Amino acid sequence: MNTAVTVYGVLAVTFMMGMYALERRGPVFIALFALGCVASSVYGFLSGAWPFGVVELVWAGIAWRRFRTTA
């Protein structure tokens, strides 16, 4: 696997987890978590792990809906 894709994946998943941990601080962190899920999904598709990519897209949709109902 390409090193650049691996580094991107580490950054995307770390960002996603960080935003998840900060969600209780406000709706903006829920939106950022959704963005992190999209970034992680892109990583899943780039790395060839398409089931991970699909699941992360689902989580992004759930988080975005939670953001819209909270904001």
Side-chain angles (χ1 to χ4, degrees):
M1 185 181 337
N2 187 341
T3 303
V5 172
T6 301
V7 170
Y8 171 77
V10 168
L11 294 174
V13 172
T14 300
F15 176 79
M16 180 189 69
M17 288 179 8
M19 295 307 101
Y20 178 75
L22 296 172
E23 275 188 340
R24 291 182 184 228
R25 293 185 181 215
V28 69
F29 292 103
I30 299 172
L32 290 171
F33 172 66
L35 180 67
C37 289
V38 170
S40 294
S41 175
V42 169
Y43 165 68
F45 288 114
L46 287 175
S47 68
W50 66 266
F52 179 80
V54 170
V55 169
E56 287 301 324
L57 275 181
V58 171
W59 274 116
I62 292 168
W64 187 252
R65 182 174 181 192
R66 210 170 59 238
F67 165 71
R68 298 221 26 207
T69 60
T70 303

